[in-house]
Amino acid sequence: MNSLESPQNMEQSVPPAEESSFGDVLRQFEAQHKSVDGPEAALAGTVLSVSADGVVVDVGRKMEGVLRGDLTALPPGVSPGTALRVHITGRTDDGYYSLSTIHVEKVRDLSGLQSAFESKAPISGTVVEQVKGGLRVELAEGVTAFLPASRSGVREMSDLAKFVGQPIECRITKLDISNPERPDVVVDRRGILEEQASAAKLQAFDLLQSDSVVEGRVRSLTEFGAFVELFPGIDGLLHVTEMSWQRVEKPSDLLTIGQQLQVKILKINRESRKISLGLKQLTPDPWTETLENLKQGDRVRGKVVRLAEFGAFVEIAPGVDGLIHLSEMSWTKRVRKPGDVLQVDDVVEAVVLDIKMNERRISLGLKQALGNPWDSVETRFAPGTVVEAAVTSLAQFGAFVDLGDGVEGMIHVADITREKRIQHPKELLKDGQKVKAVVLEVDRDKRRIRLSMKQLEPTSADVFLSEHPVGETLMGRVVELHGNSAKIELAEG
């Protein structure tokens, strides 16, 4: 007999993770255990008789063979006509072939494995040992298969040894039965595990329902939200706008990776398998209480929390913001950007202009809370009232002056002076110059106040009368006669 290698030595000879060569390795290993009679000693035989002295087998040669000694390796129910595979170990004293019971086995029926391979059906097996590059698995009919480590479903190589002696479920990925005695079989376990995980995922997904509350773990954070793992392999998106009734700048301000939390399923798309989650829905909605107690025309007080191009957002209650549009910031001037009037953290008083319940929008007015200065102009600037004001701007047709509270008056170019005719106000006036003028006309609806400077200038008659008191005798020239009256020029003009 040739010396035999130990199983440990054989492991070292197995090429790592080469599925196609494992059958060759097994054949090499078993070839070293053959009888000295060579490969031709492995024969198909037929049982001729069974007695206490042994089993006589027809091996297709001139002489029969005899099985003696330990017959426990024989399949149960052996009787005349049973087909056996036998190995010749030598000759008996009376010339019969001496057959070995150690290697006796029933003719294998590999049709079951062939069917499983063709249909890709899962089969059961038992891990018998760890070899280089994977595991050796014993299947039905005593067939040994190779399970590569990469297809074992184990992440760490150190965990492979734990499977020895354990039953597993696998699928045949390679089957070569050209030599039924030594079939070459490779199996896969990872694919089975992945299918089971996928099936479990589908089952768990089907159990999820909209509006239900589930527990999950924050798996990752992004700029727009958080992905929450509800079941292994099943994530839902918790958008940043659904995290709190108050504005959240970034998800990391509120959540951490690994955090356990309860969320509400807002929407399930079963076709794309996308799940939308909500966190704020598990707390009272501040809009409900606020809108129930708020009506148009109410005055509210709040802090400016955010500026936008079109206006400023004011928090009038925790989680409830109202918008002051640019057009509602001033009665008297055009506001081009909210920063010209308000700043973040300013506390302001505003009037509720409009409430849209369904859209959760509240429109606020800042100027309405301050009062409209034009409401009282007819009283404050009645015609004939003399005012003193600073020039704010000059135009071709006149000058604008500041009357206070954002109210402006206009002096037409023809009403600036009596002394001479001017083409442009800048001939006599400049920005910031203080002037006196009298109110000529007030139009509150059109927001116009007309002023005149020349009305306050003395006329030639005013100068003459101031120089000549009543009773003084004067010389004059008759310029017109009208019946019994005459017009006399006392001085120029």
Side-chain angles (χ1 to χ4, degrees), residues 300-304 314 324 342-343 345-350 366:
V300 294
R301 189 175 180 83
K303 183 174 70 173
V304 178
V314 179
I324 302 177
L342 299 172
Q343 299 297 325
D345 293 333
D346 284 352
V347 177
V348 298
E349 190 175 64
L366 178 64

Side-chain angles (χ1 to χ4, degrees), residues 300-375:
V300 294
R301 189 175 180 83
K303 183 174 70 173
V304 178
V305 293
R306 184 162 56 97
L307 299 180
E309 293 183 0
F310 49 84
F313 288 91
V314 179
E315 185 181 54
I316 61 176
V320 180
D321 294 348
L323 172 65
I324 302 177
H325 194 268
L326 287 175
S327 61
E328 304 298 341
M329 290 186 177
S330 174
W331 289 108
T332 57
K333 64 180 180 180
R334 183 178 179 182
V335 181
R336 298 187 179 277
K337 55 182 180 178
D340 294 340
V341 179
L342 299 172
Q343 299 297 325
V344 174
D345 293 333
D346 284 352
V347 177
V348 298
E349 190 175 64
V351 173
V352 178
L353 303 180
D354 187 29
I355 299 175
K356 289 183 170 59
M357 299 285 288
N358 295 334
E359 300 178 18
R360 292 175 178 255
R361 290 184 180 181
I362 300 175
S363 298
L364 302 176
L366 178 64
K367 66 185 183 183
Q368 288 80 0
L370 300 176
N372 188 353
W374 283 92
D375 291 342

Side-chain angles (χ1 to χ4, degrees), residues 387-403:
V387 297
E388 185 174 357
V391 176
T392 57
S393 63
L394 299 175
Q396 181 72 38
F397 55 84
F400 290 92
V401 297
D402 182 11
L403 299 179

